[in-house]
Amino acid sequence: MEDLDFLKKETFSPEEYKKMVKDFQENDNPTGWFDKIYQSANGDYKEVFWADLEPSPYLISWLKEEKITKENKTAIVIGCGVGDDAEALSSFGFEVTAFDISPTAIKLCKKRFPKSKVTYIVADLFDYPKDWFESFDVVYECNTIQVLPDQYRKKARKAMSSLLAKDGYILVSCRSREEGTMLDVIPLPLSKSEMDEFVTLDKLTEVSFLAYDDTQEPPVPHFFGIYKK
């Protein structure tokens, strides 16, 4: 059985994690490692090293401020992980679809929230069900693009934007970097020019854009952008 202890929260090794991701990327399999993160938890969602176990405060703030009044409002969470953001959207009245390419992540969500109204499903952003196209009032993306290499980043952004219904919003949360820096870092934070492609290439309107440092020591810079179709 494969030893995945280096991916657990308590025994996490950044060096071994980065080596694993790089190996998959160099074999042109940029998403093949995701399930290993969740497999390493051995059924305990608290062991997933990148799970905050609470919804994004910036998502919650937006949900409190932006009152979408239409009936049967829909939302989709990309790379839903262990489900915190999906559950938050559901609590604000959205009909939520939350997907992850990792079957183990979806199992953890269903085990963690057995009475949830969220539809948790295994799916691939690059080959999502056809009926999702332009179907969601809110698309929530947190830290998915940054774990992808090269052309897959642009492909992911385009796929995310294609999920938006007319007048829909996409909320994008990610680590950030200055232009031209940190090019060998895994995961690779997004530059402002990459974020701007939601506007320049996908023809969305920037509603708001926040650059901030998180509460880690040392602090890690982030972006939180909101765009509307």
Side-chain angles (χ1 to χ4, degrees), residues 11 50 153:
T11 54
W50 60 28
R153 296 163 77 88

Side-chain angles (χ1 to χ4, degrees), residues 50 52 54 56-58 143 146 173-176 210-224:
W50 60 28
D52 293 330
E54 61 182 8
S56 162
Y58 297 95
N143 297 339
Q146 69 184 34
S173 179
C174 62
R175 293 187 177 202
S176 66
L210 174 67
Y212 70 96
D213 290 343
D214 69 10
T215 57
Q216 297 183 58
E217 286 297 335
V220 177
H222 283 69
F223 290 145
F224 189 80

